[in-house]
Amino acid sequence: MAGPTVDELVADYDEERPARRLTGRWEFGVGLAAFAVALLVLKQVFFPFSKGGQYYLIIFLALVLPLVFLVYRPGLSRSQRRERDNPPVYDWVLAAVALLVGLYPVLGGFDAFLDRQGSLSTMDILCGAVLLVLVLEACRRTTGLVLPLVCVAFLAYAYYGGFLPPGWTIAHAGIDFSQIINALYNDASGFYGTPLDVAATYIVLFTIYGAMLETSGAGKFFVDISFATFRKSATAPGRTTALSGFLLGTVSGSGTATTVSLGAVTWPILQRAGYPKEQAGGLLAASGIGAILSPPTLGAAAFIIAEYLQVTYFEVLLWALLPTVLYYLGIVLAVQADAKRFGAREIDIDTPSPWQVLKRGGYHFASLAIIVVFLALDIPPFAAVVYATGLAALFALASKLLAGGSIVDWLGEVAIALSRGVRGALPVVAVCAAAGVITSTITKTGLGQVLSSALVDLAGALATDATVVLLLTVLFSAVAVGVLGLAVPVTASFIIAWVVLGPAMATLGVEAPERAMFLFYYAVLSEVTPPTALAAVAAAAITGGAVMRTMWQTWKYTLPAFLVPIAFVLTDNGAALLLQKPFLDTVWVFAVSALGVAALSVTTGGWLLGPAGWPERVLCAIAALMLLYLQPVVVVIGLAVLAAAVVVHLITRRRSKGVEIDA
């Protein structure tokens, strides 16, 4: 019996719940509607609405929300999936109501609607309340029940805050229901705040770009160039997997989806090389997640970072550069250790030379290069990605014509790619609209400042030293983001963490770039954090390995990614990892951090110059923690401990060889 397809595995294990399998005229109709939304998004880039951004966001949400009810089923049970799964009448009704209440602010006169801010009419309140329910339902359908319940809890807190005991620090006067709806529906926050703005102006364009790249054949090229680069060696299968994951992430944009696509291609190679199922699954998940952490197309939360901090997206890409190198350095060293430890075999892979592969498809890198170059030239990211999408479309046209196809066929494929890009963004749009409920409530009630102060007070109650207080606050924040990420998607996890935990770190002197990237990394890493670790679960489904063991193997591969972000925020020198320091400072900080990652790989991989015993592994763990603290005195001690680990290892190896000779 054939195993599940890539699409089925993505549907089963991605954080975004499975979409319907529409057929016939239903598929055509929904695809046409999504195509129309894509045209609206592209039009907004070059010919924006004269009435401003909020006007566009109202129209965007009104057009996208109905698609959620048509594309995603109300139930999440796998038993409900059918080959023919077209939307029933009630979903068409919900879609129509979503369109009506979504467009209500502009149908009756947008300026008049804004003039009623703070004193909404009864119809305003009714339509806003209906839209609130529909947004929460759309979020439930696409990502599950947890985030909507969190939103409901925040709404209840906003309304009933006046009933809390006056002595409680989180007590407040309470907000009238009409004012809650006003903040959500008739304000440049709430539904139409920064999260939805980012989704409608950045994220959807990048999902369209990814769909166009896939249409142009870039996905296959990225895998081919990875195989051709490493070719025949014991470590080649593992390195190929890591490089393929990094490149495929530009097409997918989803850690779990990248893991599944990667596994479909590379798992047979890893299996032939002798990789145990769990190690192979851990490598697949770590490589897939790494794509979200890596330039030039980071995860969706990176665009929100740029918007929150009022910096260019190019700056965020630069901040991610050195952490990405350290992340993949950790994977490469772990691959090296694994290949030695369980004796990975060389595999002959029948591929052309790298030069031949580049000659045949190297043009696929051009659109990625355009994004980076245009961002460096201070061209807005939404314009840069549109130009890159256009170039990818032209490459797809050239490939089609060379293969004997027609321009008509190409136009059809472009339309499908545009439609698929919009449909791929539906869960993110639903999450961003729902996240507006949380951020608006936190802002109106002042809850964020209260909770951040409580976090700092808790750390202060456990210690008096400023450094220890900062360390405890950082660790509490890391755990909080990790736990939050187990239940809600990455984008929502980052947004909530930023408004609740960000102020606590700011109070202790952590600069905005460092705390933003710290929270971003931990939000993303929740996808490989036990006990949920969706990317690891998907990888285990591909390899057939034990799920929990695969999760722990994934954690082993990604351990540097968990510790390096802490280095961002503990000392001033950590800013050098985000290119926030002079060149020479950046060089020594990066070199020391690389040594720290290498020491971690010895601890987790059990291999130095040969099999490493527990004494060396413990010493390397201590050395890694000291090296990643990035204070000169502590770094020197860490180097001494690392040197001691090497000496112990050499002595142990010499004794072992002596015993073998005597025997």
Side-chain angles (χ1 to χ4, degrees), residues 520-564:
F520 168 63
Y521 271 71
Y522 271 91
V524 172
L525 290 169
S526 64
E527 285 203 30
V528 292
T529 302
T532 54
L534 296 177
V537 174
I542 294 172
T543 65
V547 173
M548 287 305 300
R549 289 178 62 187
T550 300
M551 287 184 186
W552 288 113
Q553 288 298 322
T554 303
W555 187 81
K556 177 193 76 174
Y557 280 107
T558 57
L559 182 60
F562 282 90
L563 295 185
V564 168

Side-chain angles (χ1 to χ4, degrees), residues 275-284 338 341-342 553 556-557:
Y275 269 76
K277 295 176 180 179
E278 288 76 20
Q279 271 88 349
L283 178 58
L284 290 173
D338 282 349
R341 195 174 65 254
F342 56 73
Q553 288 298 322
K556 177 193 76 174
Y557 280 107

Side-chain angles (χ1 to χ4, degrees), residues 617-628:
R617 296 173 76 171
V618 170
L619 286 172
C620 282
I622 296 171
L625 294 176
M626 290 183 168
L627 291 172
L628 290 175

Side-chain angles (χ1 to χ4, degrees), residues 296-387:
T297 51
L298 299 169
F303 299 99
I304 296 177
I305 290 175
E307 198 69 21
Y308 278 161
L309 271 58
Q310 291 297 291
V311 298
T312 65
Y313 181 62
F314 184 69
E315 289 181 74
V316 180
L317 294 187
L318 290 179
W319 297 344
L321 190 60
L322 293 185
T324 297
V325 175
L326 293 174
Y327 180 83
Y328 280 99
L329 173 64
I331 292 181
V332 168
L333 292 174
V335 165
Q336 186 78 22
D338 282 349
K340 296 288 187 181
R341 195 174 65 254
F342 56 73
R345 298 183 293 272
E346 294 183 355
I347 299 296
D348 284 318
I349 303 174
D350 186 17
T351 61
S353 68
W355 177 241
Q356 289 175 310
V357 176
L358 277 174
K359 284 197 300 183
R360 190 174 63 218
Y363 60 85
H364 288 297
F365 286 122
S367 63
L368 291 172
I370 277 183
I371 293 178
V372 176
V373 171
F374 281 12
L375 290 177
L377 294 175
D378 208 23
I379 293 175
F382 46 81
V385 73
V386 170
Y387 294 136

